[in-house]
Amino acid sequence: QWQPIGFDDSHYFSGNFDGGCHSITLYLFTNSNYVGLFGYINGSSICNLNLHGKIKSNTSPSIGSKVGLIGYISSSSVYNCTNYCNIELNNNNAAQAGGIGGYIIFSTIVNCANRGTIMSQHSGNACGGICGYARHVKIYRSYNVGNLSCSSSNCGGIIGYVQSYWFDTVVVSNCYNTGDISSSESGYIGGICSYISQGQLTNCYNIGTLYTATNRYGIAPLPVSNCYYLNTCGQNIPSGGSSYGG
């Protein structure tokens, strides 16, 4: 059984890791809270790395796991990394999964991509092509081409759920999604982000198809700048239409 590099908030990885553009294959089926090649990083830099394989998280419904190439990212930078790994959240509640990071806070992501599928089979989760849950995060020049499927959850092409406070800054710029995104009727899905109350989304586009959920947004449910989408998104679009990414 693989032990992630850094496995909780007391035993985290705080160094610099340069993968040299090499690829690592990981097959991980676990009940851990912080799941990935790296489980928990803080004050770290990760770059030039590709991850292949499959990750399946089976944590108890009372515990929300953080799953991705890196499970939990705090005060760190990640750049030039690509996830090809397929991720599945099974029987998780309030869990977060993203191709690059499950839970990202006070960090910057640059030139990263997700090419794996991400699936959530339990309500209350957040899934994104790059990041499942974000707070005070900046994402530049990154993209998702993997398909996302979530049950009664927040599911976005780049970010699933953004936690916004007045002092937070969430920036997504020069990013795109081409993967298809689906959720049950009660879920929220967005081509770039499915749930966000404040932030800066600029120069992004979505050409992935959005399925099923009543709350569908071509880009995100807030005003955006110079962003475009191709597929019709459906209901519950704020007045202003495409200016809200609807």
Side-chain angles (χ1 to χ4, degrees):
Q1 177 73 23
W2 169 254
Q3 176 69 59
I5 303 169
F7 53 88
D8 61 28
D9 57 359
S10 298
H11 306 85
Y12 52 80
F13 179 76
S14 60
N16 300 322
F17 183 93
D18 186 337
C21 297
H22 292 292
S23 295
I24 294 175
T25 299
L26 177 66
Y27 290 93
L28 183 58
F29 305 91
T30 180
N31 297 320
S32 300
N33 290 348
Y34 302 102
V35 182
L37 180 66
F38 294 84
Y40 198 119
I41 68 171
N42 188 356
S44 181
S45 173
I46 309 294
C47 65
N48 303 323
L49 179 63
N50 303 310
L51 183 67
H52 296 257
K54 182 175 183 179
I55 296 175
K56 184 174 182 179
S57 175
N58 296 311
T59 305
S60 162
S62 63
I63 302 173
S65 57
K66 286 76 173 141
V67 185
L69 187 156
I70 307 164
Y72 190 105
I73 302 172
S74 175
S75 303
S76 298
S77 62
V78 181
Y79 55 98
N80 298 337
C81 291
T82 300
N83 175 63
Y84 296 84
C85 189
N86 296 324
I87 296 173
E88 181 179 340
L89 296 178
N90 185 32
N91 201 32
N92 274 244
N93 186 37
Q96 298 90 32
I100 300 302
Y103 191 114
I104 308 180
I105 182 170
F106 296 104
S107 297
T108 301
I109 311 297
V110 182
N111 291 337
C112 289
N114 176 62
R115 293 181 171 273
T117 61
I118 300 176
M119 179 183 299
S120 166
Q121 299 184 11
H122 201 282
S123 62
N125 295 332
C127 299
I130 299 299
C131 170
Y133 178 105
R135 181 182 164 200
H136 208 97
V137 169
K138 297 180 180 180
I139 302 177
Y140 301 109
R141 299 188 302 276
S142 298
Y143 66 89
N144 173 63
V145 301
N147 294 334
L148 311 177
S149 176
C150 305
S151 175
S152 301
S153 302
N154 295 288
C155 203
I158 300 298
I159 303 175
Y161 185 96
V162 173
Q163 180 67 64
S164 299
Y165 298 99
W166 65 270
F167 52 83
D168 279 335
T169 301
V170 173
V171 176
V172 180
S173 181
N174 297 307
C175 294
Y176 69 86
N177 172 67
T178 65
D180 294 339
I181 305 173
S182 64
S183 182
S184 63
E185 252 184 58
S186 59
Y188 288 77
I189 58 179
I192 299 299
C193 182
S194 65
Y195 185 92
I196 180 172
S197 59
Q198 62 180 15
Q200 301 173 27
L201 275 66
T202 60
N203 303 328
C204 296
Y205 71 86
N206 167 51
I207 59 173
T209 302
L210 310 181
Y211 293 102
T212 309
T214 301
N215 303 286
R216 304 195 294 272
Y217 303 97
I219 298 296
L222 86 169
V224 298
S225 175
N226 197 34
C227 294
Y228 304 92
Y229 69 94
L230 294 182
N231 287 292
T232 302
C233 292
Q235 306 172 29
N236 289 0
I237 304 303
S239 60
S242 61
S243 66
Y244 279 77

